[in-house]
Amino acid sequence: MRNVTLAATQFACGRDRAANVAKAEEMVRRAHAAGARIILLQELFETPYFCKDQKAELFDLAAPAEGNPVLERMSRLARELEVVLPVSFFERANTAHYNSLAMIDADGTVLGIYRKSHIPDGPGYQEKYYFNPGDTGFRVFQTRYARVGAAICWDQWFPESARVMALQGAEVFCYPTAIGSEPQDASLDSRDHWQRVMQGHAGANLIPLIASNRIGREDGESCGITFYGSSFIAGPKGEKLAEAGREEETVLTATVDLDEAARTRTAWGVFRDRRPELYGPLLTLDGRTARG
């Protein structure tokens, strides 16, 4: 058996950036004390979710990956605790800006950067104003404890993302996220839909999954969002192994047997029976074969 304990954190993010980062470190330490070795922090935890409004001054929140003080702090923390930390941050790269994730290994090494591929644009979630579409492609990182595939929030609605990471050898999926109410329609509640889609990624690929979300009400100039919380860890058949409530600050943990999951993936046949030669329409927007 190759058992590893996974963790998701869940907390509210206020306007005090230093306090948010300190809270993230506290949550990582709590997860480590509970036995976790791969610990997922939520999306853009340094600040409130700023994409509710289009404000040019908020680009000042971005920082380069190299020399980034938060990444350096989390690297020291990962090395001290010997844990893997996928860390979400707002990246500035010369004239470009990305919603990015640094994969920090258990020795504190930054293994690489993933830049969010799918960028949403809707009421309260105006990310296209702030973020360029990611240019890294989907990435899987060989960490001390597992091969970890990490995508970010809106990526979680696209089964292609999860399948690509699975084909690249992912043993665990990580999805940091910031999802909540829909400002244009208070009657909409997509919490269960959001969970079921990711459970489907876990089940379709037979790979355990961590989803970490924030909690609380955050108001902008044009609207406010009440975040769903409801972070969870799914097993390789899509089953929920641990789940948080909508409003609680908490750390979730669950232990998975990666060797058993690998045997199940092989035996189940979903990768053996794939027909990639038939999947050409996935490379188009309208499902039609390109014509000359």
Side-chain angles (χ1 to χ4, degrees), residues 148-159:
V148 179
I152 301 171
C153 200
W154 191 234
D155 289 331
Q156 67 211 358
W157 295 93
F158 297 85

Side-chain angles (χ1 to χ4, degrees), residues 119-138:
I119 311 298
D121 185 36
Y125 302 89
Q126 300 181 63
E127 294 196 15
K128 280 186 166 65
Y129 179 74
Y130 294 99
F131 307 130
N132 295 92
D135 58 359
T136 59
F138 304 111

